[in-house]
Amino acid sequence: MPDRSHSDRNIAEHRQQFSSLSNKQYFNYGGQGPMSDRALQALTHAQQRIQQEGPFAGTVNQWLQAEGRETRSAIAQALGAAPETITLTENVTVGCNIPLWGLPWQSGDHILIGDCEHPGVIAAVQEIARRYDLVVSTCALSELLKGANPVAVIQQALRPNTRLVIISHILWNTGQLLPLKEIVDVCHANAPQTRVLVDAAQSVGSLPLDQPDWQLPETGVDFYAFTGHKWWCGPAGAGGLYIRPEVLEETAPTFIGWRGISVDENGQPTGWTPDGRRFEVATSDYGLWGALRQSMELQAEWGNSAERYERICALSRRLWEGLRSLPSVKCLLETAPPPSGLVSFQLIDSKNQPRIDLQVKTVQQLETEKIYLRTLESPKCIRACVHYLSLETEVDSLIERIKEVTEKN
Amino acid sequence: MPDRSHSDRNIAEHRQQFSSLSNKQYFNYGGQGPMSDRALQALTHAQQRIQQEGPFAGTVNQWLQAEGRETRSAIAQALGAAPETITLTENVTVGCNIPLWGLPWQSGDHILIGDCEHPGVIAAVQEIARRYDLVVSTCALSELLKGANPVAVIQQALRPNTRLVIISHILWNTGQLLPLKEIVDVCHANAPQTRVLVDAAQSVGSLPLDQPDWQLPETGVDFYAFTGHKWWCGPAGAGGLYIRPEVLEETAPTFIGWRGISVDENGQPTGWTPDGRRFEVATSDYGLWGALRQSMELQAEWGNSAERYERICALSRRLWEGLRSLPSVKCLLETAPPPSGLVSFQLIDSKNQPRIDLQVKTVQQLETEKIYLRTLESPKCIRACVHYLSLETEVDSLIERIKEVTEKN
């Protein structure tokens, strides 16, 4: 077993399996994780196998069925859940759209959405509200930066007719972690029909969701949508959705295809598949599934989910402390380091205001130096992500580089 | 330029770029087309480039934007349409679901669907009817086997309140080609609100849709959903949808994500992208797009769409005539060969009834001999597809093998 003392030593060996990381300093894990060489090979091998044995053949179709089963099982295990609760999707956004369009909306129903959600999800909610005559309100989770209690913020915004609450488990802009079980408890206590949908883009693959107290069934969450291509370092185009078994039947499939239905002996539809597959639609790039499993297995070879999360938090603390010590840098989180790999900060002027143009210019300049960061729009900031794969030396070097930028500008 | 005399000579050289075809006799083009070595390499190269330059980086994101534009353009050109009319989707079924869920349904609206449609689309229609209180009826395009006129069949089934007519351009079970322009004219003349949605799974990549009289804008069709992984021989997981510009605005996005929206300077949604991208959702396996373009370009290197279609029809006629000459074989089409690559036939008993078990057993047995066919459920038959890539010798050998099967059983 590798030493878990947060030294770079063991991770350096592990990182050799990621050629992608060899030529750069990478801090965009929250956008997309790098794929290991093994996962890339799995993609190629799957395509070759399909072409060699088929592409359309009985043996290939049986293999793809098995691939789907194994992938739903591997994902379920990582979430502490049962395979039947998992739907394979193209991405996290489709995973959010499934419950958004699948709930049996009544005119006047209330949707509560946090003010730190991704624009794609916000736009979907706006369109659903238009179509079904719903009421949408926003609660200020952005106030968490000023010390607000997220459970209280949400509780105060609930209404008797709140049908759905939409939040992220980890806020993609600030890196803050919401107390999921407490929030779900408050929402479920609000009214019998209140459900909770979580955008888990930043939490799956970073939080130890297979550990006690973290497992999804323990939190009571109704819908949990995620992707494999960020913190799991899987291929782009493969994600999923967890649905609590008790709300499966009230959630109707919307986009529908042959993968989600049962048919009679004449090939005519007779109903839905009994489990999460009912929300899957039709032909996908099935080779992505095996590559995602390879990605998950490789991470587990370095350490279990708790060990990886511990290293993520240690590295983000190191980055946060270093950035915070710089006079012209303001971290979005001011009192404690992020309980996640996302460290967002601003390059500020003498009036404590973000220097937006400098932030954009800095991200562009650093990319030419093969240092990968991104800007965010709300609030205007730079986001640097660290994963368990990151190196202490990378973190220290980034702090140094940001120091140079602020001193020269 | 290659000789177009339907000899195997030129195609044999062209086929050397499809390693997948070297070890088998392939007749499942209607299920999935084989990928060329070049297209497979494009997949690998795209993944490598993304990993090397990113994966999440400004340069990568710019490149992916350009890939999307080039792919919509290449597809548009192949359909005789403008790039703005094209939405990139995961598959043909998603392409059907977009207009199905996007039309502004009114309670009581009528949907007319042909009785030869794919079960996934039928199931979607049933669910939409349940949600929006619509009336669905079926018209018997299966009667075309008995000589019925498809335009008359559809015209007789239209109602004053018909909002949507759903048909396939080529019927996936019989291989029959519907006269699209005539059908669309009749539907549009029915009522101002009547729209036509076409499942183009079997027609895109086989019909010469970029040629005069075939181009989609000339037909007037409203929605035309297709996939790249069948007759274009592209990768599974990439397809699209054509929307007639005049009906774009009445078709609302349903599954919604960042790829389909515009945002303001704070990253908040402000509306839809002005073109077909508004129905695209979020992260996909973007490398599929370049592989699809490679697949389309390679086909064009052998011959233009009219030349490929001519060869498809010549080969399917050869197969149809050969099968039809066998005493215990009944082709679904009895009076003329299919105007497509799909040749469906039954192994019949002395009472002219299909021997269903023998059909299933034969497909399974032939797969062990690396001869790839499939059974269909409605009507119960075997389907053998020929593409321009097929060889006359393959066709003759299949006829011979089917002859042996019927003589021995």
Side-chain angles (χ1 to χ4, degrees):
Chain A
M1 288 292 287
D3 173 15
R4 294 282 173 270
S5 60
H6 306 310
S7 86
D8 282 359
R9 210 170 14 148
N10 301 304
I11 204 72
E13 190 183 335
H14 183 68
R15 275 169 63 108
Q16 287 176 4
Q17 300 178 77
F18 293 80
S19 297
S20 169
L21 291 176
S22 66
N23 68 344
K24 60 177 73 85
Q25 293 175 278
Y26 193 69
F27 298 100
N28 274 339
Y29 295 98
Q32 183 166 351
M35 284 178 75
S36 66
D37 303 344
R38 194 199 289 185
L40 283 167
Q41 282 160 13
L43 283 183
T44 302
H45 290 162
Q47 294 286 356
Q48 286 171 341
R49 176 171 180 173
I50 291 166
Q51 295 299 320
Q52 190 69 18
E53 285 189 27
F56 190 96
T59 58
V60 171
N61 291 339
Q62 282 167 24
W63 179 61
L64 296 177
Q65 292 286 329
E67 284 286 294
R69 280 194 301 274
E70 283 185 41
T71 307
R72 283 182 217 95
S73 285
I75 289 173
Q77 192 169 15
L79 307 181
E84 296 73 29
T85 62
I86 303 300
T87 302
L88 296 173
T89 70
E90 196 179 11
N91 49 56
V92 59
T93 312
V94 166
C96 290
N97 273 275
I98 289 169
L100 282 172
W101 291 96
L103 283 175
W105 298 109
Q106 303 290 320
S107 174
D109 279 349
H110 174 234
I111 295 180
L112 176 64
I113 181 167
D115 67 347
C116 295
E117 291 311 302
H118 202 275
V121 176
I122 297 169
V125 168
Q126 289 171 348
E127 174 64 11
I128 289 160
R130 183 186 74 82
R131 295 247 207 130
Y132 293 103
D133 190 25
L134 311 179
V135 178
V136 180
S137 72
T138 302
C139 62
L141 293 175
S142 55
E143 294 292 309
L144 270 58
L145 287 176
K146 301 175 188 162
N149 175 341
V151 182
V153 167
I154 290 167
Q155 189 161 28
Q156 286 157 19
L158 290 169
R159 301 179 188 177
N161 66 336
T162 301
R163 187 68 174 90
L164 186 65
V165 177
I166 305 168
I167 53 170
S168 291
H169 201 168
I170 292 176
L171 303 185
W172 75 302
N173 48 4
T174 67
Q176 287 168 302
L177 171 68
L178 300 190
L180 185 55
K181 182 169 172 26
E182 289 80 349
I183 291 170
V184 170
D185 284 348
V186 159
C187 293
H188 284 176
N190 176 68
Q193 83 284 0
T194 308
R195 306 283 174 260
V196 179
L197 163 61
V198 170
D199 179 338
Q202 302 299 338
S203 49
V204 159
S206 62
L207 297 180
L209 299 170
D210 58 350
Q211 301 292 313
D213 297 334
W214 290 94
Q215 301 187 357
L216 294 191
E218 283 188 61
T219 68
V221 67
D222 298 294
F223 307 104
Y224 198 82
F226 50 91
T227 176
H229 82 300
K230 294 182 188 284
W231 299 89
W232 268 337
C233 299
L241 171 67
Y242 160 87
I243 301 185
R244 188 163 66 93
E246 291 77 3
V247 297
L248 176 69
E249 286 304 325
E250 78 175 16
T251 313
T254 303
F255 275 23
I256 290 162
W258 56 264
R259 273 171 58 193
I261 62 172
S262 52
V263 293
D264 66 17
E265 57 176 19
N266 294 316
Q268 295 303 299
T270 54
W272 312 123
T273 55
D275 49 29
R277 285 175 301 157
R278 65 178 60 181
F279 307 102
E280 299 180 10
V281 182
T283 305
S284 294
D285 182 3
Y286 304 111
L288 301 177
W289 297 343
L292 174 56
R293 295 202 310 279
Q294 286 289 335
S295 304
M296 296 165 70
E297 286 168 17
L298 183 58
Q299 297 197 342
E301 286 177 19
W302 182 80
N304 68 30
S305 64
E307 292 165 330
R308 298 195 304 271
Y309 180 56
E310 189 188 345
R311 183 170 162 85
I312 289 171
C313 290
L315 287 165
S316 67
R317 170 184 282 272
R318 186 183 187 108
L319 179 55
W320 179 80
E321 287 177 345
L323 290 171
R324 190 161 173 264
S325 70
L326 303 178
S328 302
V329 172
K330 179 183 159 193
C331 288
L332 293 193
L333 300 191
E334 298 193 85
T335 56
S340 70
L342 293 81
V343 182
S344 294
F345 60 97
Q346 294 171 322
L347 308 181
I348 51 172
D349 59 21
S350 57
K351 291 172 183 163
N352 224 19
Q353 293 304 303
R355 301 176 63 188
I356 298 171
D357 290 347
L358 179 61
Q359 291 177 167
V360 171
K361 208 182 105 190
T362 300
V363 167
Q364 287 169 349
Q365 169 58 33
L366 266 58
E367 183 167 320
T368 68
E369 303 170 17
K370 295 198 169 291
I371 303 170
Y372 294 82
L373 306 165
R374 69 165 290 179
T375 53
L376 296 181
E377 303 307 321
S378 180
K380 303 278 185 194
C381 62
I382 296 176
R383 190 182 74 186
C385 301
V386 289
H387 206 344
Y388 82 98
L389 284 166
S390 301
L391 301 173
E392 279 84 350
T393 53
E394 278 182 311
V395 168
D396 296 346
S397 151
L398 176 61
I399 297 164
E400 191 56 34
R401 191 69 191 84
I402 296 295
K403 181 164 180 265
E404 287 169 16
V405 165
T406 56
E407 284 171 355
K408 282 188 195 157
N409 286 278
Chain B
M1 287 290 288
D3 172 15
R4 294 284 172 271
S5 61
H6 308 309
S7 85
D8 282 359
R9 208 169 14 141
N10 301 304
I11 204 72
E13 190 183 335
H14 183 69
R15 274 169 63 107
Q16 288 175 4
Q17 299 178 78
F18 293 80
S19 296
S20 169
L21 290 175
S22 66
N23 69 343
K24 59 178 74 85
Q25 293 175 280
Y26 194 69
F27 299 99
N28 275 338
Y29 295 98
Q32 183 167 351
M35 285 178 75
S36 66
D37 303 344
R38 193 197 291 185
L40 284 167
Q41 282 161 15
L43 283 183
T44 302
H45 290 161
Q47 294 287 355
Q48 285 170 343
R49 177 171 179 173
I50 292 166
Q51 294 300 320
Q52 190 69 17
E53 286 189 27
F56 190 95
T59 58
V60 172
N61 291 339
Q62 282 167 24
W63 179 61
L64 296 177
Q65 292 286 328
E67 284 286 295
R69 280 194 302 273
E70 282 184 42
T71 307
R72 282 181 217 96
S73 284
I75 290 174
Q77 192 169 16
L79 306 181
E84 297 72 30
T85 62
I86 304 301
T87 302
L88 297 173
T89 69
E90 196 178 11
N91 49 56
V92 60
T93 312
V94 166
C96 290
N97 272 273
I98 289 169
L100 283 172
W101 291 96
L103 284 176
W105 297 110
Q106 303 290 321
S107 174
D109 279 350
H110 174 234
I111 296 180
L112 176 65
I113 181 168
D115 67 347
C116 296
E117 292 310 303
H118 202 275
V121 176
I122 298 169
V125 168
Q126 290 171 347
E127 174 65 11
I128 290 159
R130 183 186 73 81
R131 295 247 207 131
Y132 293 102
D133 190 26
L134 310 179
V135 178
V136 179
S137 73
T138 302
C139 61
L141 293 176
S142 55
E143 295 291 309
L144 270 58
L145 287 176
K146 300 176 190 162
N149 175 342
V151 182
V153 167
I154 290 166
Q155 188 161 29
Q156 286 158 18
L158 290 169
R159 302 179 188 178
N161 66 337
T162 300
R163 188 69 175 89
L164 186 65
V165 176
I166 305 168
I167 54 171
S168 291
H169 202 168
I170 291 176
L171 303 185
W172 75 302
N173 49 5
T174 67
Q176 287 167 301
L177 171 67
L178 299 191
L180 186 54
K181 183 171 171 26
E182 289 80 349
I183 291 171
V184 170
D185 284 348
V186 159
C187 292
H188 284 175
N190 176 68
Q193 83 285 359
T194 307
R195 306 283 174 260
V196 179
L197 162 61
V198 170
D199 179 337
Q202 302 299 338
S203 49
V204 160
S206 62
L207 296 179
L209 299 171
D210 59 350
Q211 301 293 314
D213 297 334
W214 290 94
Q215 302 187 357
L216 294 189
E218 282 189 61
T219 67
V221 66
D222 298 294
F223 308 104
Y224 198 81
F226 50 91
T227 177
H229 82 298
K230 294 183 188 284
W231 298 89
W232 268 338
C233 300
L241 171 68
Y242 160 88
I243 301 186
R244 189 164 66 93
E246 291 78 4
V247 296
L248 177 68
E249 287 304 326
E250 77 175 15
T251 312
T254 303
F255 275 23
I256 290 162
W258 56 264
R259 273 171 58 192
I261 61 172
S262 52
V263 293
D264 65 17
E265 58 177 19
N266 294 315
Q268 295 303 299
T270 54
W272 311 123
T273 55
D275 49 29
R277 286 176 300 157
R278 65 178 60 182
F279 306 102
E280 299 180 11
V281 182
T283 306
S284 294
D285 181 3
Y286 304 110
L288 300 176
W289 297 342
L292 174 57
R293 294 202 310 279
Q294 286 290 334
S295 304
M296 295 165 70
E297 287 169 16
L298 183 58
Q299 297 196 343
E301 285 177 20
W302 181 80
N304 69 29
S305 64
E307 292 165 330
R308 298 195 304 270
Y309 179 57
E310 188 188 345
R311 182 170 162 87
I312 288 171
C313 290
L315 288 165
S316 67
R317 169 184 282 273
R318 186 183 187 108
L319 178 56
W320 178 79
E321 287 176 344
L323 289 171
R324 188 161 175 266
S325 70
L326 303 178
S328 302
V329 172
K330 180 182 159 194
C331 288
L332 292 193
L333 300 191
E334 298 192 85
T335 57
S340 70
L342 293 81
V343 181
S344 294
F345 60 97
Q346 294 172 321
L347 307 181
I348 51 172
D349 60 21
S350 57
K351 290 172 185 162
N352 224 18
Q353 293 304 303
R355 301 174 64 188
I356 297 170
D357 290 347
L358 178 61
Q359 291 176 170
V360 171
K361 207 182 106 192
T362 299
V363 167
Q364 288 170 348
Q365 169 59 32
L366 266 58
E367 183 167 321
T368 69
E369 302 169 18
K370 296 198 168 293
I371 303 169
Y372 294 82
L373 306 166
R374 69 165 291 180
T375 54
L376 297 181
E377 304 306 322
S378 179
K380 303 278 185 194
C381 63
I382 295 175
R383 191 183 74 186
C385 300
V386 289
H387 206 345
Y388 82 98
L389 285 166
S390 301
L391 301 172
E392 279 83 350
T393 52
E394 277 183 312
V395 168
D396 296 346
S397 153
L398 176 61
I399 297 164
E400 192 56 33
R401 191 68 191 86
I402 295 295
K403 180 164 180 264
E404 286 169 17
V405 165
T406 56
E407 285 172 354
K408 282 188 192 156
N409 285 277

